[in-house]
Amino acid sequence: MTKQAEWVAACAADALRPEEVRRLDHGGRTFVIVRSPEGDYFAMDGHCSHEKVHLADGIVDGGIIECPKHFGTFDYRTGESRALPACVDLQSYEVKIENGIVMVKV
Amino acid sequence: MSTHSTIAIVGAGEAGTAAALALRERGWEESVVLIGNESSLPYERPPLSKAVLVDETRPGPKTIVTSERLSELKIDYRHGCEVVSIDRTASMVILSNGAKIGYHRLLLATGARPRDLNVPIAEGSRVATLRSYEDATRLRELIGQGCEMAVIGGGFIGLEVAASSILRGASVIVFEAGSRILSRAVPVGIAELIRAKHERSGVRIETTAVVERIELCEGRSCVVLAGGQRHLADLVIVGVGATPNVELAQAAGLAVDNGIALDEMLATSDPRVFAAGDCCSFPHRLYGKRIRLEAWRNAQRQGVIAAANMVGEDRPYDDLPWFWSDQYDETLQMVGLCCGGEIPVVRSLGPRGQLLFSLVDGGRLVAACGFGSLGAVAKEIRVAETIIRRELKVEAEALANPALNLKQLL
């Protein structure tokens, strides 16, 4: 069931502070958007790959987003899992800023 | 392969498996043997009293690692194997099938087992405990619409089983011997919230209810309390704590003190033998005493630290105690440890939950506990963890002020 990727508006670029996370729900799926300390924006799947828990409720620090429930961690730039119990990588998505809005290609 | 370069791990639960994986992560290239007494792949126990009990559509236990990953990492996983003894003079463990495994370092991750109720139980009565996946699936068959259940013990396991059973349409009464539920671990204010949640969901909770014996009455199990009150049930589940599995260590002459006794590096009284998880006790720098924890995160992280120290690192284990429990759609999280005499400070998150901080004299935070929606509770507990670890002094008024972001206290 491949579906045409589309660009979705997540939030104003200014609305995110460095290493702040925002949840984006779209088309029955959920994503997280994170702004890095360098001011770049990244998007990946919003549920932890260990259990269906919203990563947006977790903390972000030093390039890592941590699941609020069991402390599985992911590199928010790539979606790679970094610490157990998370052992499956998350998909990351292309991001662009358009007219001050963070757009995610999902 | 030289047996002298083998690291043997007894117990393939959370601690043992985490250790095996961590050995490879830390570059240990010699042999790793992981010995488990269950037949399946290593699996997570926390879901056993929660999702596994509720949902029969789950295909099997939630495994910690796949068999592909184990072979990729060359972890020699011996499942369905019981270790019968340790010969420390010969540096070998002996399996029930007679096989011998030599070790350079040995990790004991033998876990714990449900504590006995220690009362007379009539033959033929239906009384069960919960520790393994097999226990959980067998109980799931028995717990259904109209099943009348008695749960003995108002601790985490008992209450999670109660919540899961209500969701399956059973009726549940909980008998707790103490004056309140969760008295061992959870501050009274939060325990009250959890009790109210259970009662709203239809669970009956009887405190100061000391079980004297279990009889068989017309094919049903009858819980008899001190004082003579009798309660009939189709199924009785006992959740009165856990006993560390120390027998193997004890027989090998290793020091035992409320669990296999470790130093802060997680080594036993034999510097070549380590332990991790529910089976061990260890000194904690923040609490100035020896503690033993029955907790998932502790098991996992001790496994990792023990692995590091077995390959020559020098890392004291000083992770904070951390627990979580799911009760219906809400989560409890706790960090730190109360030793008595703390001052409680309540922080209300409105309808989303409540936090309770425990301060000692002078304003140092030693523990925090929250109950409510995961999104509301988790971040606050995470910040509290940092405050506790850094031994920061905080104002009670600041903690109690929901308008103040806790991060500002760091």
Side-chain angles (χ1 to χ4, degrees), chain B residues 262-266 282-289 291 293 297-298 301-306 309 314-322 335-337 366 382 385-386 388-391:
Chain B
L262 307 182
D263 63 17
E264 66 276 18
M265 301 296 173
L266 306 182
F282 58 99
H284 198 293
R285 77 173 169 93
L286 273 188
Y287 303 102
K289 61 174 182 178
I291 58 176
L293 301 171
R297 190 177 88 166
N298 176 66
R301 297 199 173 176
Q302 282 192 332
V304 172
I305 296 297
N309 291 337
D314 210 16
R315 288 179 55 184
Y317 181 77
D318 65 352
D319 223 65
L320 289 176
W322 181 90
V335 66
L337 200 66
V366 292
R382 205 70 175 88
E385 181 175 9
T386 308
I388 297 169
R389 182 181 298 114
R390 294 188 191 163
E391 301 180 62

Side-chain angles (χ1 to χ4, degrees), chain A residues 7-8 16 23 28 32 54 59 71-72 74-75 85-86 89 92 97 101:
Chain A
W7 286 99
V8 177
L16 277 180
R23 174 173 151 187
V32 284
H54 281 290
I59 58 164
F71 308 103
F74 300 88
D75 183 331
D89 297 345
S92 60
I97 308 295
I101 302 289

